[in-house]
C-alpha cells in the first residue's frame, strides 16, 4: 500500500491515464503503438480513413487500434498527423492467429435460416448497431482497464469459428459468460449509455460508450436498469443476465468494439472470473 501511494505520487500522469490494453497485434487483437513526440498536443491517427484512439500514458502518446478478424497477417499502416499537420506513416506487423472451431446444432430451423421479414429486421438492426459502434466521441482519457462484468465463468471464447448445423457462420464477436438469469451485469469501465434496444439476435442489448471509438455491448439481458445518455461508473450495475434474443440458455454475450471492429475483451481486462468453466459443462449460445 505504501509503495502504491508513493508510485501514485511520483507518476500522477500515469495514474490519471490508467492502464494501456495488452499489445497483441493479431486479427481480433489490439495494437498499442507509442507515437513520436508531438510536443504536448494530441496527435490525430487514422487507419484507412477511420479515426484511431490516442491516449496519453506516462508522458507519451499511444495509438490503440483494434485489428479486424479478417485482417491478413503482414505489414499494415497507421497515418499519424501531429500539431503542424505533417502526415507520417507508422508501420506495424500483424501476426497470424488461428481461433478454434466450434460445431453448433440448433434444432429450430427458423433460428438458423430466418424468414425474409426477419432478415430485413436483422439487416436494419445490424446497420443501426454498426452506426453506433462507428461513432466517435472525443474523451481524452478513456478507462482502458476493464472489470469482469458478471459473476460467472467464460463459457465461449472470442473469435471461435462457428459451424452452425454444418454451415460456416461469422466468427464469435465476443465472449460468453454463463450465469443464472437475473445475475447482475456491471459496467466494465466508466461510460455513457449510447444505445439500448431489443434486437433479433442480441435480445435486450445495452451499448456503453467508453470514448474514442471504444464500446462495450451486452446481449441477451433480462433487464436494463440504465437510460440512454446516462453516465455510468465502472462496476455499476446496468442490467441482469437473461435469455432474450437467440440463445439456448442464460448467458451474457459481451462484445468489445474498437474503431468499429470487435476485439477480444481480454485485451482490456484487469480482472477475471473467480471460477473457470469446466470443459464438459460448456454452454453453447446460438449466435450468442
Ligand atoms: Zn456470444
Amino acid at each position: 500500500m505504501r509503495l502504491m501511494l508513493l508510485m501514485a505520487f511520483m507518476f500522477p500522469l500515469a495514474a490519471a491515464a490508467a492502464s494501456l490494453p495488452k499489445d497483441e497485434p493479431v486479427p481480433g487483437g489490439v495494437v498499442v503503438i507509442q507515437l513520436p513526440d508531438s510536443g504536448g498536443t494530441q496527435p490525430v491517427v487514422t487507419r484507412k480513413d477511420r479515426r484511431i484512439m490516442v491516449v496519453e500514458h506516462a508522458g507519451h502518446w499511444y495509438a490503440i487500434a483494434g485489428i479486424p478478424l479478417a485482417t491478413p497477417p503482414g505489414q499494415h499502416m497507421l497515418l499519424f498527423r501531429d500539431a503542424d499537420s505533417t502526415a507520417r506513416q507508422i508501420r506495424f506487423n500483424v501476426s497470424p492467429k488461428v481461433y478454434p472451431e466450434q460445431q453448433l446444432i440448433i434444432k429450430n430451423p427458423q433460428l438458423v435460416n430466418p424468414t425474409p421479414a426477419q432478415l430485413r429486421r436483422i439487416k436494419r438492426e445490424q446497420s443501426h448497431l454498426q452506426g453506433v459502434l462507428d461513432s466517435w466521441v472525443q474523451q481524452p482519457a478513456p478507462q482502458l482497464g476493464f472489470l469482469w462484468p458478471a459473476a460467472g465463468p467464460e463459457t465461449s471464447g472470442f473469435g471461435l469459428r462457428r459451424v452452425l448445423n454444418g454451415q460456416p457462420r461469422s466468427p464469435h464477436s465476443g465472449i460468453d459468460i454463463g450465469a443464472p438469469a437475473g445475475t447482475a451485469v456491471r459496467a466494465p469501465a466508466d461510460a455513457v449509455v449510447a444505445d439500448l434496444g431489443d434486437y433479433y439476435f442480441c435480445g435486450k442489448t445495452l451499448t456503453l460508450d467508453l470514448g474514442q471509438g471504444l464500446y462495450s455491448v451486452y446481449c441477451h439481458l433480462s433487464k436494463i436498469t440504465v437510460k440512454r445518455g446516462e453516465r455510468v461508473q465502472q462496476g455499476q450495475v446496468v442490467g441482469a443476465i437473461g435469455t432474450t434474443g437467440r440463445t439456448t440458455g442464460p448467458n451474457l454475450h459481451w462484445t468489445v468494439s474498437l474503431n468499429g471492429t470487435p476485439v477480444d475483451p481480454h485485451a482490456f481486462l484487469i480482472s477475471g472470473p473467480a471460477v473457470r468453466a469446466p470443459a464438459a459443462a460448456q454452454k453453447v449460445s446460438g449466435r450468442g
Side-chain angles (χ1 to χ4, degrees), residues 96-137:
K97 179 166 183 175
V98 178
Y99 291 92
E101 189 183 273
Q102 181 185 35
Q103 296 277 347
L104 304 172
I105 304 292
I106 289 180
K107 287 189 182 124
N108 182 348
Q110 259 212 2
L111 291 177
V112 182
N113 296 307
T115 64
Q118 287 167 333
L119 277 173
R120 283 195 294 277
R121 178 184 166 190
I122 291 164
K123 264 199 152 163
R124 196 168 62 233
E125 291 174 354
Q126 280 176 343
S127 86
H128 166 76
L129 270 173
Q130 194 57 48
V132 173
L133 301 179
D134 284 341
S135 308
W136 178 271
V137 175

Side-chain angles (χ1 to χ4, degrees), residues 21-32 64-69 71 92 94-95 97 99 158 258-259 261-265 267-268:
K22 187 175 153 211
D23 176 34
E24 194 188 5
V26 296
V30 170
V31 64
V32 179
I64 298 170
I67 302 169
L69 273 168
T71 305
F92 65 98
V94 172
S95 307
K97 179 166 183 175
Y99 291 92
F158 174 85
L258 180 60
N259 47 266
T261 195
V263 293
D264 192 339
F268 295 91

Side-chain angles (χ1 to χ4, degrees), residues 162 172 174-176 220 251 253 285 287-288:
R162 292 178 304 181
H172 196 208
I175 63 174
D176 294 341
H220 313 310
N251 82 95
H253 170 96
S285 90
R287 179 195 171 91

Side-chain angles (χ1 to χ4, degrees), residues 11 61 95 185:
F11 304 109
W61 294 107
S95 307
V185 174

